[in-house]
Amino acid sequence: MSRKGALLRCAAAIAAAGALVGLIAAPAAAKPHHPGHGHHDDPIVIAHRGASGYLPEHTLEAYALAVELGADVIEPDLVLTKDGELLARHEPVLDETTDIAQHPEFADRKTTKLIDGVPVTGFFADDFTLAELKTLRAEERLPSVRPQSAAHDGEFELVTYDEVLDYVDDLDRKVITYPEMKHPSYYEDKGQSIEDALADLLEERRLDRKRSPVWIQSFEYQSLLNIAERVDNRIGLNIDGQGEIPDAQLDEYADTLDTVSLNKNRIIPRDANGFLLEPTDVVERAHDRGLDVHVWTFRNENQFLPADFRTGGGGAAWGDFAAEYELFYSLGVDAVFSDYPDKALAARDC
């Protein structure tokens, strides 16, 4: 096949919309990748909360679909239950991602708590035992944007990280899990330790080694230093926002971490209208210090894309997401977090 023909076929594969669940197949080019340390390998595709563009996030079904689509890594966010279990949920608050509102037996559990100093009202996972949480069902967090996923509301139960690890153990290929400890300071204020809960589980399952197929992440630097005292897994700091990361900070991270995981705007800032500005040199500077660079989050819909890549049809319509992948891949990032891992893989392999 000519180069032009190959590119046209790749473009068609990238542009193709996901089919109904059960019919989605990995693109032919999306061969399983075997991730390893080093920014000389192909970029790693991390399924952000599972294949969360297609199915309600942080369900076993969303993780399994991501694996079926060829993802290298699946990413469970972790919160604690009342009885200390690690539950796969994006936040301690259950309101936006479960059917808790349809359970009158739990109505008296609604409360207001401080998360990162901000009062939040809702139902909190740490006020429920795991047995109680197992009576809930997952719901799509963005139903107006992803109605195809919302069509599965009420079908899937909530899962623990232990159950996710059981699933991964039974696969016929290596898939890394990349748990994020959510709001460690929130639990510390309550007298709980999400770091100890995760370390205990990894030690029990003999997954606490440097080469274990488990990477650990958090937005709280101290939390990562704490868990590093107990386990030897690869560890990465999530950094939000936009703006320069000073060399002194990167030096410190290089001494204590393996990875910096950056908001896309840290690598390519956007102007007030959402258009891309000149890329920063943070990827190069991090690599010079031996740090891997992961970047988040890639989504297909116009409302999440830079203005440069938006197309017609409104915010929920898919824009030119392939161009965004191509741009970040060209900058040498080591991994991307994607809600649509098949599209990230197709763009990478094209």
Side-chain angles (χ1 to χ4, degrees), residues 238-279:
N238 299 332
I239 304 175
D240 203 353
Q242 179 167 305
E244 187 76 8
I245 301 176
D247 283 341
Q249 267 190 305
L250 289 176
D251 289 340
E252 181 180 4
Y253 298 153
D255 288 339
T256 52
L257 306 171
D258 301 285
T259 302
V260 287
S261 183
L262 307 180
N263 183 309
K264 290 185 291 190
N265 295 340
R266 291 280 184 176
I267 297 175
I268 310 179
R270 302 186 192 186
D271 67 18
N273 295 314
F275 287 93
L276 295 172
L277 301 172
E278 286 298 312

Side-chain angles (χ1 to χ4, degrees), residues 79-82 87 89 91-94 123-129 133 187:
V79 303
L80 284 174
T81 69
K82 184 176 182 178
L87 185 74
R89 287 287 95 192
E91 294 288 348
V93 186
L94 302 167
F123 296 93
F124 291 76
D126 44 283
D127 289 332
F128 295 82
T129 65
L133 291 164
Y187 295 109

Side-chain angles (χ1 to χ4, degrees), residues 30-319:
K31 299 174 183 176
H33 179 65
H34 301 287
H37 176 54
H39 29 266
H40 302 294
D41 300 324
D42 288 338
I44 293 165
V45 171
I46 302 165
H48 182 241
R49 310 177 195 173
S52 56
Y54 296 117
L55 288 176
E57 65 189 34
H58 292 312
T59 58
L60 196 58
E61 290 77 7
Y63 299 135
L65 179 58
V67 171
E68 180 184 344
L69 294 174
D72 306 312
V73 181
I74 56 177
E75 186 233 9
D77 294 330
L78 303 182
V79 303
L80 284 174
T81 69
K82 184 176 182 178
D83 44 351
E85 298 289 338
L86 290 164
L87 185 74
R89 287 287 95 192
H90 176 52
E91 294 288 348
V93 186
L94 302 167
D95 300 53
E96 291 187 349
T97 61
T98 75
D99 64 352
I100 185 70
Q102 300 172 33
H103 288 258
E105 69 273 23
F106 297 139
D108 62 347
R109 308 281 181 95
K110 192 168 189 176
T111 187
T112 300
K113 301 185 182 186
L114 290 179
I115 298 182
D116 298 336
V118 178
V120 178
T121 299
F123 296 93
F124 291 76
D126 44 283
D127 289 332
F128 295 82
T129 65
L130 178 59
E132 290 173 325
L133 291 164
K134 282 292 188 178
T135 68
L136 306 182
R137 292 296 178 265
E139 293 189 347
E140 168 57 42
R141 188 172 57 90
L142 303 170
S144 63
V145 179
R146 294 171 175 172
Q148 77 281 3
S149 174
H152 298 277
D153 283 357
E155 293 181 15
F156 310 135
E157 72 172 29
L158 311 192
V159 296
T160 65
Y161 183 44
D162 202 24
E163 291 172 311
V164 174
L165 291 174
D166 285 342
Y167 162 73
V168 171
D169 279 349
D170 290 337
L171 295 174
D172 58 4
R173 69 176 177 95
K174 178 180 177 181
V175 173
I176 290 170
T177 64
Y178 197 176
E180 179 188 336
M181 300 180 294
K182 301 296 292 193
H183 304 290
S185 296
Y186 166 76
Y187 295 109
E188 184 178 3
D189 291 343
K190 291 171 50 64
Q192 292 181 295
S193 171
I194 196 169
E195 298 94 340
D196 284 345
L198 180 55
D200 288 345
L201 179 60
L202 296 181
E203 289 172 357
E204 177 186 334
R205 299 185 69 117
R206 299 175 62 86
L207 290 172
D208 58 338
R209 321 294 166 82
K210 193 70 173 181
R211 296 182 64 85
S212 295
V214 175
W215 304 341
I216 299 171
Q217 56 176 322
S218 176
F219 280 90
E220 296 189 25
Y221 182 47
Q222 185 60 50
S223 175
L224 295 172
L225 299 182
N226 293 343
I227 199 168
E229 294 179 358
R230 292 200 50 192
V231 302
D232 293 325
N233 302 71
R234 294 182 58 77
I235 289 177
L237 176 66
N238 299 332
I239 304 175
D240 203 353
Q242 179 167 305
E244 187 76 8
I245 301 176
D247 283 341
Q249 267 190 305
L250 289 176
D251 289 340
E252 181 180 4
Y253 298 153
D255 288 339
T256 52
L257 306 171
D258 301 285
T259 302
V260 287
S261 183
L262 307 180
N263 183 309
K264 290 185 291 190
N265 295 340
R266 291 280 184 176
I267 297 175
I268 310 179
R270 302 186 192 186
D271 67 18
N273 295 314
F275 287 93
L276 295 172
L277 301 172
E278 286 298 312
T280 70
D281 63 352
V282 67
V283 175
E284 180 181 357
R285 290 189 295 120
H287 283 171
D288 287 345
R289 291 161 171 80
L291 288 164
D292 281 357
V293 179
H294 300 175
V295 56
W296 45 271
T297 301
F298 289 81
R299 299 176 166 112
N300 295 359
E301 294 89 358
N302 279 323
Q303 69 185 64
F304 302 116
L305 288 168
D308 315 64
F309 303 138
R310 294 171 195 161
T311 58
W318 287 10

